[in-house]
Amino acid sequence: NPYKPPLLVWFLPTSSAMISLSAARALSKSPVKRAFARGLVSSSTSAIGSSSASAVHASSVSTTQQRASMSTMDTMETGTKTYMSLYPEDSTDGGLRLGNIVPDFSMETTHGNFESFHEWKKGKWAILFSHPADFTPVCTTEIGRLALKYDQLEEMGCLVATLSVDPVKSHQDWLRDVVAHCENEIEIKFPIIGDQDRSISTAYGMIDPGTSDDQALPLTIRAVFIINPENKLMLSLNYPACVGRNMDEIVRCVQALQLSYEKSIATPANWPNNHADIPMPDGTRSTDFKGSVFLLPTVSEEEAKENYPGYHICDVPSKINYLRLVKKEEVEKMGN
């Protein structure tokens, strides 16, 4: 069968992650890998912590300035900063990858014109959300559902901008249909970017510049880019034009990324509906760990005990202490 299913790689610093072969080879030579072998930290197949390499070398920035820029990255030395350093912030071949600084651009939007995307989102989390085209059915529902989540995202300190290759005037005309079709009363509070020359779509890999001119209808893919306060790409999702996105999942991803960024933790699969019933060392079972999280693999035993003294090690046949659970209430207390 000549068909090969596409490889989908999710970068959820607070969920499961896939490391490329080249990255794995590099990791095998690193102190982190040697620490794994000594059983000090978790296995390399656990989650990738979200953070910023640029913040690592920003020691000259005062705490006051960091707070003013909304940067809440955890200061635990073996936590987010160390884990994120495994991901380069620059691309060597022009492709946009997780951990890279995202391209800056000027933008014409339904909320006016802005000279710099980086300045527009300065110091904040942001979602760049593309849709294939105005006046299309799935896109109409997506913008409506995203509008319903906007206030929640704003409370989380996360900005939203959407984009398609249509001109701004088309967006403005189409938004009347979006509002009318949504079953809830909504207001579109986020800007929609007009990328008529396809420059932003090309820079972010949403359109192939070598083929888009030959297409009868060059559509951007349904893409989601979640970007941290240091302008690093922390998560990307790609959907085809025929499948609408789940806005609850996008909000969950932002929550998980921010929690990892701030607390040096990783969220398990299905978080926060995880570990609802687990075995304990005394043979009993506990329901106290529902919604718990893992410590990042790079967190040393010393910092784990200092910051999360009550963490629980899940017993597994390998006897390697890499499944280190922290109850959600302990995470909420940490740093407060």
Side-chain angles (χ1 to χ4, degrees):
N1 185 352
Y3 173 73
K4 293 183 179 180
L7 177 64
L8 300 180
V9 180
W10 283 56
F11 176 70
L12 280 174
T14 51
S15 182
S16 299
M18 181 175 291
I19 300 177
S20 68
L21 181 58
S22 59
R25 285 171 178 160
L27 188 59
S28 68
K29 301 175 183 178
S30 72
V32 175
K33 180 63 176 179
R34 292 195 292 273
F36 288 161
R38 293 196 304 270
L40 295 180
V41 294
S42 331
S43 86
S44 60
T45 56
S46 187
I48 293 298
S50 63
S51 168
S52 164
S54 61
V56 175
H57 60 253
S59 57
S60 61
V61 180
S62 69
T63 302
T64 302
Q65 288 173 316
Q66 288 177 343
R67 286 173 180 166
S69 68
M70 302 277 298
S71 179
T72 54
M73 183 176 62
D74 189 13
T75 57
M76 195 186 302
E77 287 302 320
T78 61
T80 355
K81 292 194 291 184
T82 298
Y83 211 26
M84 192 56 200
S85 68
L86 300 174
Y87 282 75
E89 63 181 45
D90 298 314
S91 171
T92 60
D93 60 4
L96 181 59
R97 294 184 177 85
L98 299 163
N100 290 172
I101 300 291
V102 299
D104 197 9
F105 53 86
S106 60
M107 52 188 191
E108 298 180 6
T109 83
T110 52
H111 287 191
N113 299 340
F114 300 89
E115 289 299 316
S116 167
F117 174 68
H118 286 185
E119 283 299 311
W120 174 78
K121 68 165 291 296
K122 188 174 182 178
K124 292 189 176 184
W125 289 82
I127 295 172
L128 182 61
F129 183 102
S130 71
H131 65 274
D134 298 345
F135 299 102
T136 56
V138 177
C139 299
T140 299
T141 59
E142 285 189 320
I143 298 301
R145 303 312 296 185
L146 185 59
L148 290 172
K149 295 294 182 182
Y150 180 78
D151 287 345
Q152 182 180 358
L153 289 165
E154 186 179 42
E155 288 175 4
M156 295 162 58
C158 184
L159 299 175
V160 175
T162 66
L163 171 150
S164 81
V165 297
D166 302 290
V168 170
K169 178 62 167 61
S170 172
H171 295 332
Q172 292 169 334
D173 293 342
W174 172 55
L175 286 180
R176 292 196 291 269
D177 290 357
V178 173
V179 172
H181 180 72
C182 188
E183 62 270 26
N184 305 80
E185 290 189 12
I186 60 169
E187 180 181 354
I188 310 300
K189 299 178 182 179
F190 47 82
I192 303 183
I193 301 166
D195 185 29
Q196 201 168 2
D197 66 0
R198 309 173 196 166
S199 59
I200 303 169
S201 303
T202 300
Y204 279 72
M206 294 182 278
I207 278 182
D208 184 343
T211 61
S212 63
D213 287 339
D214 299 328
Q215 293 176 276
L217 187 62
L219 303 175
T220 56
I221 57 175
R222 296 191 193 283
V224 179
F225 302 95
I226 301 179
I227 303 158
N228 79 2
E230 288 76 36
N231 298 325
K232 299 194 78 173
L233 179 61
M234 303 314 300
L235 180 146
S236 63
L237 302 171
N238 292 335
Y239 282 65
C242 59
V243 178
R245 287 158 285 191
N246 186 314
M247 304 309 153
D248 290 327
E249 173 61 9
I250 291 172
V251 170
R252 189 192 77 94
C253 287
V254 175
Q255 291 171 330
L257 287 164
Q258 290 183 341
L259 194 61
S260 174
Y261 183 84
E262 297 170 3
K263 307 291 187 178
S264 290
I265 59 84
T267 54
N270 296 338
W271 176 84
N273 300 309
N274 59 287
H275 290 87
D277 182 45
I278 65 171
M280 301 302 289
D282 62 2
T284 61
R285 301 191 70 85
S286 174
T287 58
D288 294 340
F289 286 86
K290 183 178 180 180
S292 58
V293 296
F294 288 123
L295 291 177
L296 283 175
T298 51
V299 174
S300 67
E301 282 189 351
E302 292 76 16
E303 288 204 303
K305 290 175 181 177
E306 178 183 351
N307 292 277
Y308 297 109
Y311 72 86
H312 170 76
I313 298 175
C314 298
D315 185 34
V316 288
S318 69
K319 301 303 178 184
I320 300 174
N321 297 334
Y322 65 97
L323 295 167
R324 301 177 295 175
L325 278 177
V326 181
K327 294 179 181 178
K328 62 180 180 180
E329 55 266 28
E330 294 300 317
V331 174
E332 290 166 357
K333 286 193 302 185
M334 189 267 192
N336 293 335

